[in-house]
Amino acid sequence: MNNKYQLAQSVILGAVLLSATPLAHAAQESEVFDGKISGKLTFASDYVFRGESETMDGDVPVVQGTLGWGNDLGWYSGVFASNIKFADPNLEIVTAPYIGKTGEFGTSGISYDVMVFSYLYPGASYSNYTELWLKVGKQFGSANVQLEVTPTLDDWFGVKGWQGVNYAVHPSYGFDNGVKVSGSFGYQDLDGEGAEGWGHWNLGVSKAYAGINFDLRYHGSTVEADHKVYGTQTKIFDDRVVLGLSKSF
């Protein structure tokens, strides 16, 4: 598949997601099943997931959208979608329905977030898999720290017998002028015959202006040429800088 087709696909996906945002905005004006609908649209130079470029080393820009629902009790659900590009030509789009619950442990100030997140690949269902996201966090003035443990609930990326657990810490700090510095430092553990995990990290700065959030982020990983899984594809794990623009509705 050539880059022009991929770019056209990204634009079409963006148009579809953009067409849904008026519905999200209108739904915010009234409650739906005792909750509210929200949406988010993102344009970025790449889609990096745990150190890996999901677009063949930034070969095409990405358009991502989220349409979600949440209520005052902390329950939420929705769907995420993005264009992608892998060596497998059938992997063109990922859609990800999710459901979860957020809250706080009593009056401790320690938050929790439990979410089931399924990665579905139209045209490549053999790669589908699901993760259970478990997070706890604590606010310290202008700083926040979240700890994450995310195991797979079935075969990782559809590879028979492979199971994964992502461990990560997500620190952030918000300044009075609206600038936010945030990062993520983690390890994607991977078990199974021929499997091997890897470390990953990112550090970036974001700022909202005129209703649009601008994010500039540096990504890196520990994947090198001797890696059992990605040793022949190290380019998609190269360190990179990603620029993203997003709008919430």
Side-chain angles (χ1 to χ4, degrees):
M1 184 177 296
N2 60 44
N3 290 350
K4 289 183 179 179
Y5 183 86
Q6 281 279 343
L7 182 57
Q9 185 182 67
S10 301
V11 172
I12 292 171
L13 178 61
V16 171
L17 295 171
L18 188 60
S19 67
T21 56
L23 297 176
H25 183 72
Q28 285 181 320
E29 303 301 323
S30 60
E31 292 194 348
V32 178
F33 299 112
D34 296 322
K36 293 185 178 181
I37 302 294
S38 62
K40 183 178 180 181
L41 184 63
T42 299
F43 295 89
S45 57
D46 199 353
Y47 174 16
V48 181
F49 182 67
R50 297 174 188 165
E52 176 187 1
S53 168
E54 304 285 283
T55 62
M56 291 292 288
D57 194 36
D59 210 20
V60 293
V62 296
V63 181
Q64 302 175 336
T66 302
L67 188 63
W69 168 92
N71 66 15
D72 293 338
L73 297 178
W75 289 99
Y76 63 91
S77 63
V79 62
F80 164 83
S82 177
N83 67 295
I84 54 177
K85 183 178 181 182
F86 285 90
D88 182 344
N90 294 320
L91 291 168
E92 301 175 343
I93 294 176
V94 58
T95 60
Y98 60 86
I99 185 170
K101 174 72 167 63
T102 62
E104 183 178 329
F105 293 108
T107 58
S108 64
I110 298 176
S111 65
Y112 67 84
D113 188 351
V114 179
M115 175 178 65
V116 176
F117 193 94
S118 292
Y119 304 85
L120 307 179
Y121 301 93
S125 59
Y126 45 81
S127 294
N128 294 351
Y129 71 106
T130 300
E131 290 185 324
L132 175 64
W133 290 61
L134 305 170
K135 288 183 179 181
V136 294
K138 175 73 173 179
Q139 193 74 30
F140 301 94
S142 298
N144 182 275
V145 177
Q146 290 188 337
L147 303 178
E148 173 199 336
V149 178
T150 301
T152 56
L153 298 181
D154 48 12
D155 291 337
W156 179 86
F157 213 63
V159 181
K160 187 174 180 58
W162 282 21
Q163 299 293 315
V165 182
N166 187 59
Y167 304 93
V169 56
H170 310 282
S172 63
Y173 187 91
F175 294 91
D176 293 338
N177 60 2
V179 173
K180 182 178 180 180
V181 177
S182 61
S184 178
F185 306 89
Y187 182 79
Q188 174 65 64
D189 192 19
L190 201 57
D191 291 322
E193 185 177 355
E196 182 181 1
W198 68 91
H200 54 88
W201 62 87
N202 69 73
L203 182 64
V205 59
S206 59
K207 166 74 174 179
Y209 179 76
I212 298 176
N213 189 70
F214 297 82
D215 187 277
L216 186 65
R217 192 160 302 273
Y218 179 89
H219 295 266
S221 79
T222 62
V223 174
E224 296 184 351
D226 60 350
H227 195 271
K228 293 180 181 178
V229 181
Y230 292 107
T232 60
Q233 306 177 57
T234 56
K235 191 173 182 179
I236 63 175
F237 281 92
D238 285 348
D239 292 4
R240 70 192 64 239
V241 175
V242 176
L243 174 63
L245 290 78
S246 61
K247 172 73 174 178
S248 297
F249 302 88

